[in-house]
Amino acid sequence: MYRSKITGLGFHVPDRILKNDDLKQWMDTSDEWIRERSGIQERHWVSEKEAASDLALAASKKAMIMAGVGADEIDLVIVATISSDYFFPGVANQLQSKLGLRTVGTFDIKVACSAFVYGLSIADQFIKTGQHKTILIVGAEAQSKYIDLTTRGRDMGVLFGDGAGAAILQQSGDESGILSTHIHSDGADMKNLWMEAPGTSGNNWMNRETLKNGLHHPYMNGREVFRNAVRRFPEVIHEALEENNLSIEDIKLVIPHQANYRISQAVAKRLGVGMDVVYSNIHKYGNTTAASIPIALTEAHAEGRIERGDHIILAAFGAGYSWASAAIRW
């Protein structure tokens, strides 16, 4: 049984930056309103010609350089996204071609905000069993393409940002690496955070009624999502701690999905730690869904917040509902 470790990281965000006040051209909002409710100050959005695969490609190249990995060494590609370029095939399939990889296996996973940690968990199993030696995992989102840029949709519209983060996972030759991963789901309340169309349920394909009712835009019941997030985040973090006989005092950094700064504050309070332990960069990028954890992890590492031997926890909660965590010794 092998242990897997992250050997390379990289992220990429589009050049286009929108500050909170820039959103007033589409909806009734303000910088103060957005900051108070989310902590977001600005976000990056793709241009008309950019898509999720373009962001994924740039982030992947950076992660490969850091890991010193060539295209011929990658054995599997996993992409976490809910905003793929096309309804099918997936971004991972496009990425295989754009990177010039061998005809390796590729697939997308659609678990929204928890998808990168889910992908890390899947990749960890392949490394542990010796099935693969080098795996590329990417979280990539171009959500600005389908958000509702009206006052009706502002509760979601002000939150989303575009970007991609990537990691290279390889066999570890020492004590560092992924210690455990924990994934969960409960679909009973999925309609509190979902996008109803396009889909094959009923008459939910793209038609006049779909467009008229805005079913092709994401919807969120903010109060219920907040309530569940502040419950599930600490639960899944404690699950990772208990699995590895660790306490919160042993953790150098918790890197959560960047959903809302108020959620991160509530999670820190429940864990009994300060915000210096709970990493946050939502003010710069907004909610980039599956890309948020790898972007935050890359930045935290670049800032020197994570050093060799440190224990860190990745944690996510999002649509589904789905939630997940990973305990890592760096």
Side-chain angles (χ1 to χ4, degrees), residues 197-247:
T200 59
S201 174
N203 191 29
N204 285 345
W205 203 248
M206 298 303 288
N207 54 44
R208 290 182 179 178
E209 286 302 307
T210 295
L211 298 175
K212 177 183 175 181
N213 295 322
L215 304 183
H216 60 302
H217 296 306
Y219 164 80
M220 178 176 66
N221 180 336
R223 184 182 298 275
E224 282 301 305
V225 170
F226 187 97
R227 186 178 67 83
N228 280 273
V230 298
R231 171 190 172 193
R232 297 303 189 184
F233 265 117
E235 276 185 4
V236 81
I237 290 169
H238 281 298
E239 184 178 5
L241 294 174
E242 291 168 9
E243 175 71 17
N244 297 285
N245 295 313
L246 296 170
S247 68

Side-chain angles (χ1 to χ4, degrees), residues 162-301:
D162 301 334
I168 297 291
L169 202 66
Q170 294 182 293
Q171 289 181 359
S172 175
D174 52 36
E175 294 300 310
S176 64
I178 297 176
L179 303 178
S180 65
T181 58
H182 311 270
I183 59 176
H184 298 278
S185 179
D186 183 353
D189 295 315
M190 69 175 189
K191 293 183 180 181
N192 283 327
L193 182 54
W194 73 331
M195 193 167 83
E196 190 172 353
T200 59
S201 174
N203 191 29
N204 285 345
W205 203 248
M206 298 303 288
N207 54 44
R208 290 182 179 178
E209 286 302 307
T210 295
L211 298 175
K212 177 183 175 181
N213 295 322
L215 304 183
H216 60 302
H217 296 306
Y219 164 80
M220 178 176 66
N221 180 336
R223 184 182 298 275
E224 282 301 305
V225 170
F226 187 97
R227 186 178 67 83
N228 280 273
V230 298
R231 171 190 172 193
R232 297 303 189 184
F233 265 117
E235 276 185 4
V236 81
I237 290 169
H238 281 298
E239 184 178 5
L241 294 174
E242 291 168 9
E243 175 71 17
N244 297 285
N245 295 313
L246 296 170
S247 68
I248 194 63
E249 288 75 21
D250 296 316
I251 303 305
K252 177 68 173 295
L253 205 61
V254 174
I255 301 178
H257 162 55
Q258 304 294 300
N260 185 308
Y261 189 71
R262 290 197 304 151
I263 291 176
S264 293
Q265 286 179 311
V267 170
K269 184 176 181 180
R270 292 200 176 195
L271 292 174
V273 299
M275 283 304 292
D276 57 319
V277 177
V278 179
Y279 190 83
S280 177
N281 63 0
I282 194 171
H283 59 288
K284 294 189 289 184
Y285 306 115
N287 181 346
T288 55
T289 304
S292 81
I293 285 180
I295 289 174
L297 178 60
T298 304
E299 282 208 324
H301 182 263

